[in-house]
Amino acid sequence: MVSFEYTIWVWAQQARAATENISPDERNATIILKAGAASKTFTVIQKQKDALAVTSSKIEVTADGDEISIEVKANISFDYEIEEVAKPWITSATTRGLSTTTLKFRIAENKGLQKREGCIIIRSGEFMEKVTVYQESGVGTGNPGATGDDMPWQ
């Protein structure tokens, strides 16, 4: 806490500037002006810097598919989108709510012969986080349902 003490019989004027708050937390300071036995307290509150982060930007999934979770740490509202090419095999498993911070997605079984990858983009205004999901091929993993339907046979 910063403290200034003035003993003045007419008046006092003190100007202070605050530095930019680059942390994700709100901060505050208390200023106490005293004149004899009288005092006046002022509280200065500085809002936090906006932040959006994910705990991991890479998730690997077996060919069998699974449900994944992405933990989002944010002090701002955000939304997400699944890139167009990944929409057939990555679907949302999250129930939308105002305070949701864990997004869940179902990863469908990969019956193809090729590995695949897709991105989930989480954004809020100018902030953006991209999570890439990598999935193994269905072949060579003991997956009897692997068909090779994703191969460009000629």
Side-chain angles (χ1 to χ4, degrees):
M1 180 169 111
V2 178
S3 178
F4 298 99
E5 188 171 315
Y6 295 95
T7 304
I8 316 175
W9 61 275
V10 181
W11 60 276
Q13 181 177 11
Q14 179 73 32
R16 291 282 179 213
T19 59
E20 179 183 12
N21 185 359
I22 59 172
S23 84
D25 300 316
E26 180 179 279
R27 63 185 180 183
N28 60 63
T30 302
I31 300 170
I32 303 170
L33 294 177
K34 294 182 179 181
S39 69
K40 179 69 177 172
T41 302
F42 299 93
T43 301
V44 178
I45 299 171
Q46 188 177 32
K47 293 295 184 184
Q48 71 280 354
K49 182 170 180 70
D50 292 339
L52 174 69
V54 294
T55 53
S56 177
S57 63
K58 177 181 175 184
I59 299 171
E60 296 187 18
V61 182
T62 66
D64 294 333
D66 204 350
E67 185 171 286
I68 62 170
S69 294
I70 300 171
E71 186 178 340
V72 180
K73 295 183 178 184
N75 58 9
I76 53 177
S77 62
F78 64 90
D79 204 355
Y80 67 89
E81 67 183 80
I82 300 168
E83 68 179 352
E84 204 59 42
V85 68
K87 283 183 179 180
W89 61 278
I90 299 177
T91 57
S92 174
T94 301
T95 306
R96 296 297 290 179
L98 293 177
S99 61
T100 299
T101 56
T102 300
L103 304 174
K104 294 186 178 203
F105 298 88
R106 285 187 191 88
I107 309 301
E109 180 180 3
N110 185 358
K111 295 182 180 183
L113 296 174
Q114 295 185 347
K115 295 178 182 181
R116 60 187 179 185
E117 69 180 71
C119 294
I120 300 167
I121 300 159
I122 300 164
R123 70 180 58 188
S124 177
E126 65 188 65
F127 301 99
M128 190 257 318
E129 289 286 336
K130 181 169 115 175
V131 177
T132 304
V133 179
Y134 299 92
Q135 189 177 29
E136 305 175 335
S137 70
V139 177
T141 60
N143 183 350
T147 62
D149 288 344
D150 64 337
M151 292 298 293
W153 302 107
Q154 296 178 347

